[in-house]
Amino acid sequence: MNWTEILGFVSGAVCVWLAVRQNIWNFPVGMANNVFFFILFIGSGLYADAWLQVLYLVLGGLGWYWWLRGGQDRSHLVVRRTPAWAWPAIGVAVAGGAWAIWALLSVHTDSTVPWGDATTTALSLGAQVMLNRKWIGNWLLWICADAIYIGLYAYKGLYLTAGLYGLFLAMCFVGVAQWRATLREESATARTEREKVAA
């Protein structure tokens, strides 16, 4: 265990807690977390996970903007159901991404876990894009990714990080419940507004 793993643990836990609460500060905290994990993963030979952190920095900036200005009339985003068209599109993107990353890792690196590294990377990218759009289905992809991450990090001897992803997994279930409650509240509010207009 070293300082980057400890800082990654703390910033990661805070980031996910903020995301569950739909707090915009999850993005800057998450971007700091990306820097810590990039350093940690490069040193551990988890190359896809390391470069994933660079993509997260870019996606974090985009998500930060979308949450503030990506809604109707450039307002903040609200929680929404995942559009029907998005599931097959994300499924194809995750499967294709996992295969491409696996091929890259297998040929160009000394990775001992190319499939695990590639699969979690592809799932995480899909989940992050969905989180950026405030689609509630993002939590399902995070659950799949986190379950694999726990075993992957334990195998690599990153026990604190494996524990962190166990915490992430638990928080994902809280996130699903809280975002569903928010969606119900927003639907009820919209229905009330429509009834007022109709009256």
Coordinates of all heavy atoms in Angstrom, one line a residue, residues 134-171:
K134 N -26.8 11.6 -16.9 CA -27.7 11.4 -15.8 C -28.8 10.3 -16.2 O -29.9 10.4 -15.8 CB -28.4 12.6 -15.4 CG -27.6 13.4 -14.3 CD -28.5 14.4 -13.6 CE -27.7 15.0 -12.4 NZ -28.5 16.0 -11.7
W135 N -28.3 9.3 -17.0 CA -29.2 8.2 -17.3 C -29.1 7.2 -16.1 O -28.0 6.8 -15.7 CB -28.8 7.5 -18.6 CG -29.0 8.3 -19.8 CD1 -29.8 9.4 -19.9 CD2 -28.4 8.1 -21.1 NE1 -29.7 9.9 -21.2 CE2 -28.9 9.2 -21.9 CE3 -27.5 7.2 -21.6 CZ2 -28.5 9.2 -23.3 CZ3 -27.2 7.3 -22.9 CH2 -27.7 8.3 -23.7
I136 N -30.2 6.8 -15.6 CA -30.2 5.9 -14.4 C -29.6 4.6 -14.6 O -29.0 4.0 -13.7 CB -31.7 5.8 -13.9 CG1 -31.7 5.4 -12.4 CG2 -32.5 4.8 -14.7 CD1 -33.0 5.5 -11.7
G137 N -29.6 4.1 -15.8 CA -28.9 2.8 -16.1 C -27.4 2.8 -15.9 O -26.8 1.7 -15.9
N138 N -26.8 4.0 -15.7 CA -25.3 4.0 -15.4 C -25.0 3.1 -14.3 O -23.9 2.5 -14.3 CB -24.8 5.4 -15.2 CG -25.0 5.9 -13.8 OD1 -24.2 5.7 -13.0 ND2 -26.1 6.6 -13.6
W139 N -25.9 3.0 -13.3 CA -25.6 2.3 -12.1 C -25.5 0.8 -12.4 O -24.7 0.1 -11.7 CB -26.6 2.5 -11.0 CG -26.6 4.0 -10.5 CD1 -27.5 4.9 -10.8 CD2 -25.5 4.6 -9.8 NE1 -27.1 6.1 -10.2 CE2 -25.9 6.0 -9.6 CE3 -24.3 4.2 -9.3 CZ2 -25.1 6.9 -8.9 CZ3 -23.5 5.1 -8.6 CH2 -23.9 6.5 -8.4
L140 N -26.2 0.3 -13.3 CA -26.2 -1.2 -13.6 C -24.8 -1.5 -14.3 O -24.2 -2.6 -13.9 CB -27.3 -1.5 -14.6 CG -28.7 -1.3 -14.1 CD1 -29.7 -1.7 -15.1 CD2 -28.9 -2.0 -12.8
L141 N -24.3 -0.6 -15.1 CA -22.9 -0.9 -15.7 C -21.9 -0.8 -14.6 O -20.9 -1.6 -14.6 CB -22.7 0.1 -16.8 CG -22.9 -0.5 -18.2 CD1 -24.4 -0.7 -18.4 CD2 -22.4 0.4 -19.3
W142 N -22.0 0.2 -13.7 CA -21.0 0.3 -12.6 C -21.0 -0.9 -11.8 O -20.0 -1.4 -11.3 CB -21.3 1.6 -11.8 CG -20.9 2.9 -12.4 CD1 -21.7 3.9 -12.6 CD2 -19.6 3.3 -12.9 NE1 -21.0 5.0 -13.1 CE2 -19.7 4.6 -13.3 CE3 -18.4 2.6 -12.9 CZ2 -18.7 5.3 -13.9 CZ3 -17.3 3.3 -13.5 CH2 -17.4 4.6 -13.9
I143 N -22.2 -1.5 -11.5 CA -22.3 -2.7 -10.7 C -21.5 -3.8 -11.3 O -20.7 -4.5 -10.7 CB -23.8 -3.1 -10.4 CG1 -24.4 -2.1 -9.4 CG2 -23.9 -4.5 -9.9 CD1 -25.9 -2.2 -9.3
C144 N -21.7 -4.0 -12.6 CA -21.0 -5.1 -13.3 C -19.5 -4.8 -13.3 O -18.7 -5.8 -13.0 CB -21.5 -5.1 -14.8 SG -23.2 -5.7 -15.0
A145 N -19.1 -3.6 -13.6 CA -17.6 -3.3 -13.6 C -17.0 -3.5 -12.2 O -16.0 -4.1 -12.1 CB -17.4 -1.9 -14.1
D146 N -17.7 -3.0 -11.2 CA -17.1 -3.0 -9.8 C -17.0 -4.4 -9.3 O -16.0 -4.8 -8.6 CB -18.0 -2.2 -8.9 CG -17.9 -0.7 -9.1 OD1 -17.0 -0.3 -9.9 OD2 -18.8 0.0 -8.6
A147 N -18.0 -5.3 -9.7 CA -17.9 -6.7 -9.2 C -16.6 -7.4 -9.8 O -15.9 -8.1 -9.1 CB -19.1 -7.5 -9.7
I148 N -16.3 -7.1 -11.1 CA -15.1 -7.6 -11.7 C -13.8 -7.0 -11.1 O -12.8 -7.6 -10.8 CB -15.1 -7.4 -13.2 CG1 -16.4 -8.1 -13.8 CG2 -13.9 -8.0 -13.9 CD1 -16.6 -7.8 -15.3
Y149 N -13.9 -5.6 -10.9 CA -12.7 -4.9 -10.4 C -12.3 -5.5 -9.0 O -11.1 -5.5 -8.7 CB -13.1 -3.4 -10.2 CG -12.8 -2.5 -11.4 CD1 -13.8 -1.7 -11.8 CD2 -11.6 -2.5 -12.0 CE1 -13.6 -0.8 -12.9 CE2 -11.4 -1.7 -13.1 CZ -12.4 -0.9 -13.5 OH -12.1 0.0 -14.6
I150 N -13.2 -5.9 -8.2 CA -12.9 -6.4 -6.8 C -11.9 -7.6 -7.0 O -10.8 -7.6 -6.4 CB -14.1 -6.8 -6.0 CG1 -14.9 -5.5 -5.7 CG2 -13.7 -7.5 -4.8 CD1 -16.3 -5.8 -5.2
G151 N -12.3 -8.5 -7.8 CA -11.4 -9.7 -8.0 C -10.1 -9.3 -8.7 O -9.0 -9.8 -8.4
L152 N -10.2 -8.4 -9.7 CA -9.0 -8.0 -10.4 C -8.0 -7.4 -9.5 O -6.8 -7.7 -9.6 CB -9.4 -7.1 -11.5 CG -8.3 -6.6 -12.5 CD1 -7.8 -7.8 -13.3 CD2 -8.9 -5.5 -13.5
Y153 N -8.4 -6.4 -8.7 CA -7.4 -5.7 -7.8 C -6.9 -6.6 -6.7 O -5.8 -6.5 -6.3 CB -8.1 -4.5 -7.3 CG -8.4 -3.4 -8.3 CD1 -9.5 -2.6 -8.3 CD2 -7.5 -3.2 -9.4 CE1 -9.8 -1.7 -9.2 CE2 -7.8 -2.3 -10.4 CZ -8.9 -1.5 -10.3 OH -9.1 -0.6 -11.3
A154 N -7.8 -7.5 -6.2 CA -7.3 -8.5 -5.2 C -6.2 -9.4 -5.8 O -5.2 -9.6 -5.2 CB -8.4 -9.3 -4.7
Y155 N -6.4 -9.8 -7.0 CA -5.4 -10.7 -7.7 C -4.1 -9.9 -7.9 O -3.0 -10.5 -7.8 CB -6.0 -11.1 -9.1 CG -5.0 -11.8 -9.9 CD1 -4.8 -13.2 -9.7 CD2 -4.4 -11.2 -11.0 CE1 -3.9 -13.9 -10.5 CE2 -3.5 -11.9 -11.8 CZ -3.2 -13.3 -11.5 OH -2.3 -14.0 -12.3
K156 N -4.2 -8.6 -8.1 CA -2.9 -7.8 -8.3 C -2.3 -7.4 -7.0 O -1.3 -6.6 -7.0 CB -3.2 -6.6 -9.2 CG -3.6 -7.0 -10.6 CD -2.6 -7.7 -11.4 CE -1.5 -6.8 -11.9 NZ -0.5 -7.5 -12.8
G157 N -2.9 -7.7 -5.9 CA -2.4 -7.4 -4.5 C -2.8 -6.0 -4.1 O -2.2 -5.5 -3.1
L158 N -3.7 -5.3 -4.8 CA -4.1 -4.0 -4.4 C -5.4 -4.1 -3.5 O -6.5 -3.8 -3.9 CB -4.5 -3.2 -5.7 CG -3.3 -3.0 -6.6 CD1 -3.7 -2.3 -7.9 CD2 -2.2 -2.1 -6.0
Y159 N -5.1 -4.6 -2.3 CA -6.2 -4.9 -1.4 C -7.1 -3.7 -0.9 O -8.3 -3.8 -0.8 CB -5.7 -5.7 -0.2 CG -5.1 -7.0 -0.6 CD1 -3.7 -7.2 -0.5 CD2 -5.8 -8.0 -1.3 CE1 -3.0 -8.4 -0.9 CE2 -5.2 -9.2 -1.7 CZ -3.8 -9.4 -1.5 OH -3.2 -10.5 -2.0
L160 N -6.4 -2.6 -0.7 CA -7.2 -1.4 -0.3 C -8.1 -1.0 -1.5 O -9.2 -0.6 -1.2 CB -6.2 -0.3 0.1 CG -6.9 1.0 0.6 CD1 -7.7 0.8 1.8 CD2 -5.8 2.1 0.8
T161 N -7.5 -1.0 -2.7 CA -8.3 -0.6 -3.8 C -9.5 -1.6 -4.1 O -10.6 -1.2 -4.4 CB -7.4 -0.5 -5.1 OG1 -6.4 0.4 -4.8 CG2 -8.2 -0.1 -6.3
A162 N -9.2 -2.9 -3.9 CA -10.3 -3.9 -4.0 C -11.4 -3.6 -2.9 O -12.6 -3.7 -3.3 CB -9.7 -5.3 -3.7
G163 N -11.0 -3.3 -1.7 CA -11.9 -2.9 -0.7 C -12.7 -1.7 -1.1 O -13.9 -1.6 -0.9
L164 N -12.1 -0.7 -1.7 CA -12.7 0.5 -2.2 C -13.8 0.2 -3.2 O -14.9 0.7 -3.2 CB -11.7 1.5 -2.8 CG -12.3 2.7 -3.5 CD1 -13.0 3.6 -2.5 CD2 -11.2 3.5 -4.2
Y165 N -13.5 -0.8 -4.1 CA -14.5 -1.1 -5.1 C -15.6 -2.0 -4.5 O -16.7 -2.0 -5.0 CB -13.8 -1.8 -6.3 CG -13.3 -0.8 -7.3 CD1 -12.1 -0.1 -7.0 CD2 -14.0 -0.5 -8.4 CE1 -11.6 0.9 -7.9 CE2 -13.5 0.5 -9.3 CZ -12.4 1.2 -9.0 OH -11.9 2.2 -9.9
G166 N -15.3 -2.6 -3.4 CA -16.4 -3.3 -2.7 C -17.4 -2.2 -2.1 O -18.6 -2.3 -2.2
L167 N -16.8 -1.1 -1.6 CA -17.6 0.0 -1.1 C -18.3 0.7 -2.3 O -19.5 1.0 -2.2 CB -16.7 1.0 -0.5 CG -17.3 2.3 0.1 CD1 -18.4 2.0 1.1 CD2 -16.2 3.3 0.6
F168 N -17.7 0.8 -3.4 CA -18.3 1.4 -4.6 C -19.5 0.5 -5.0 O -20.6 1.1 -5.4 CB -17.4 1.4 -5.8 CG -16.3 2.5 -5.8 CD1 -15.3 2.5 -6.7 CD2 -16.3 3.5 -4.8 CE1 -14.3 3.5 -6.8 CE2 -15.4 4.5 -4.8 CZ -14.4 4.5 -5.8
L169 N -19.4 -0.8 -5.0 CA -20.4 -1.7 -5.3 C -21.7 -1.5 -4.4 O -22.8 -1.4 -4.9 CB -19.9 -3.2 -5.3 CG -20.9 -4.2 -5.7 CD1 -21.3 -4.0 -7.2 CD2 -20.3 -5.6 -5.5
A170 N -21.4 -1.4 -3.1 CA -22.5 -1.1 -2.2 C -23.2 0.2 -2.5 O -24.4 0.3 -2.5 CB -22.0 -1.2 -0.8
M171 N -22.4 1.2 -2.8 CA -22.9 2.6 -3.0 C -23.7 2.6 -4.4 O -24.6 3.4 -4.5 CB -21.7 3.6 -3.1 CG -21.1 3.8 -1.7 SD -19.6 4.8 -1.7 CE -20.3 6.4 -1.9

